[in-house]
Amino acid sequence: SYVRNGAVLDLNIVPQAIDAKVAGSDYAPYTIRIKIEPLAKSVEQTLMKKSRLSLDSLQQLITGEFPAELKKDFFAESKGLFPTPKAIKFSCSCPDSARMCKHIAATLYGAAARLDEKPELFFLLRGIKIETFVGDMIKSESKKLIKKSSQKSRRVIDVGDDELSAMFG
C-alpha cells in the first residue's frame, strides 16, 4: 500500500545499491539504503561465456532483456545475477527496530517494479556496466574472428585471374 499510495517519494537504483525516500509517520521522509554486494568476477565471466554462445542473446542483452536461453543461468542461485540474501544489507532511518521495516519493504516493491520495466538495471545493481559486459563479449568474439581470418580457408580457389576466366569460360 505504501507504493500504491505514493509513499515512496524517491527511488534510485545505483551501482550496488537502491536508495529511497519513503514518507512515514514522521514529518520528514525516511532514508532507505539497500546495499547489494557486487557480482563475483568468476560468476560474471561465466555469464559472459554463456552469453557468447548466441548472437541472439547478445542482441537481447543490448536491449536490456534476459534471453530465454540464458534465464536459467542468469537466475541460478549463487551463480546468477541475483544476489543471495546474505549479499543484501538493509538500513532505514525510521525508529522501527525490525531488520526489514515497512519502508524497506515498500522500497523493495518499488525497485521490483522498476526492474520489471528496465531489466538492464540488474546489471547496474550488481556492479556491472552492461555496456562493458556486452562490449567485452564483442571484443572477444572479434578477436576470434580476426584470428580465423588470418588462416586461409580451404574453400578459396587459389588460381590466377587467367585461370579463373578459363575455368568459367
Side-chain angles (χ1 to χ4, degrees), residues 5-168:
N5 294 324
V8 179
L9 305 173
D10 186 32
L11 188 136
N12 293 298
I13 296 175
V14 297
Q16 298 166 246
I18 301 167
D19 294 321
K21 298 283 185 193
V22 179
S25 55
D26 202 358
Y27 69 93
Y30 298 116
T31 301
I32 290 78
R33 175 97 173 166
I34 301 169
K35 292 177 74 174
I36 311 284
E37 289 179 8
L39 190 65
K41 286 294 176 193
S42 60
V43 173
E44 182 180 345
Q45 293 301 319
T46 300
L47 292 175
M48 252 203 249
K49 189 176 182 180
K50 291 182 179 189
S51 298
R52 280 189 196 116
L53 300 175
S54 168
L55 289 177
D56 291 339
S57 68
L58 187 62
Q59 180 60 36
Q60 288 177 309
L61 285 171
I62 290 169
T63 60
E65 298 174 37
F66 290 114
E69 68 270 17
L70 295 174
K71 279 189 180 176
K72 185 180 120 205
D73 296 314
F74 275 92
F75 298 158
E77 189 176 333
S78 302
K79 298 177 191 162
L81 201 55
F82 294 89
T84 62
K86 290 180 181 178
I88 305 170
K89 305 287 184 244
F90 306 114
S91 68
C92 179
S93 63
C94 78
D96 192 336
S97 62
R99 182 172 182 270
M100 186 187 303
C101 66
K102 58 190 171 188
H103 312 107
I104 291 172
T107 301
L108 289 170
Y109 280 114
R114 180 86 44 88
L115 292 168
D116 279 345
E117 287 175 13
K118 298 180 85 181
E120 68 270 18
L121 291 173
F122 274 108
F123 289 91
L124 180 68
L125 195 53
R126 291 311 304 272
I128 300 170
K129 291 182 179 178
I130 193 165
E131 302 84 14
T132 303
F133 186 86
V134 172
D136 287 349
M137 286 193 315
I138 291 170
K139 284 179 193 171
S140 175
E141 291 307 300
S142 296
K143 285 179 185 176
K144 285 181 189 174
L145 290 172
I146 289 170
K147 188 176 179 180
K148 282 183 180 180
S149 71
S150 64
Q151 300 168 358
K152 194 172 191 177
S153 172
R154 292 177 286 137
R155 296 182 291 178
V156 173
I157 300 171
D158 192 17
V159 295
D161 288 342
D162 296 343
E163 294 174 57
L164 191 59
S165 294
M167 186 184 287
F168 290 104

